[in-house]
Amino acid sequence: MQKRDWKRVAESLQKYKYVALILCVGVILMLLPVGGSKAETGELPPESALPSFNLSRVEEELSQVLSEIRGVGEATVVLSLSDSGEEVLAVDRTGAEETKTVVVSGGSCVQQPVRIKTKYPRFQGAVVVCDGGGNAAVQMEVLKAMSAITGLSSDQISISQRK
């Protein structure tokens, strides 16, 4: 190149120096590693991170909530279930008879099935034993609270006074 050509290139660079600077910074930022989320990196959440149903925990939480209602006092809740729930897994139907559960590799030779949805157990009935269970107003408040939380009707909830 001749001296004139270099002069033109220098003038062009001077004119577009900010555009060139922004492009260089953008390229550098794109090349930097970024700590992505677990979904982006292909790692699966541990089994405990997935929502699970624990009947004892639910009964304990209900007992604590009911104990906060005026006049109830200490409360104990026992729930019965109509079913145990169900997990629906993704399946691959490649042939007329052949079905395979779809799994995702989480690295380190760990494979987990792909969950489409989880159906939690349904409540069948409830028994509440509390200090204020002999009072009609307290029974009504407990009945409304239990019905709102569990979806049970009034004939499926029994409220008794603690001895």
Side-chain angles (χ1 to χ4, degrees):
M1 280 191 176
Q2 294 180 350
K3 198 172 194 178
R4 247 190 209 170
D5 293 336
W6 282 111
K7 197 173 191 178
R8 256 192 248 149
V9 170
E11 287 173 4
S12 295
L13 283 177
Q14 187 65 23
K15 186 176 179 182
Y16 295 108
K17 67 181 175 186
Y18 294 114
V19 173
L21 179 67
I22 290 172
L23 285 174
C24 289
V25 170
V27 168
I28 291 170
L29 288 175
M30 288 173 49
L31 294 175
L32 290 176
V34 179
S37 70
K38 290 188 182 254
E40 292 171 351
T41 60
E43 295 177 32
L44 295 173
E47 201 61 36
S48 61
L50 297 169
S52 63
F53 182 80
N54 182 327
L55 182 61
S56 299
R57 189 183 81 235
V58 172
E59 290 173 339
E60 176 79 25
E61 290 174 0
L62 280 171
S63 297
Q64 290 175 356
V65 168
L66 292 177
S67 295
E68 297 294 320
I69 297 174
R70 182 185 311 241
V72 172
E74 186 180 343
T76 304
V77 176
V78 178
L79 296 167
S80 63
L81 303 174
S82 63
D83 58 41
S84 61
E86 175 185 14
E87 225 173 42
V88 180
L89 304 176
V91 292
D92 181 18
R93 294 190 171 97
T94 54
E97 297 177 24
E98 188 177 338
T99 60
K100 298 176 184 175
T101 302
V102 177
V103 294
V104 175
S105 177
S108 302
C109 299
V110 176
Q111 292 186 338
Q112 292 181 331
V114 176
R115 289 175 188 81
I116 294 176
K117 64 181 170 179
T118 301
K119 294 181 182 178
Y120 289 103
R122 291 183 14 197
F123 298 113
Q124 181 174 331
V127 174
V128 178
V129 178
C130 60
D131 295 332
N135 182 325
V138 171
Q139 284 183 350
M140 185 56 72
E141 289 300 314
V142 170
L143 184 65
K144 287 192 311 187
M146 286 295 294
S147 181
I149 293 171
T150 63
L152 295 171
S153 62
S154 60
D155 63 328
Q156 296 171 303
I157 302 170
S158 174
I159 304 164
S160 301
Q161 184 170 7
R162 187 179 306 281
K163 61 178 176 175

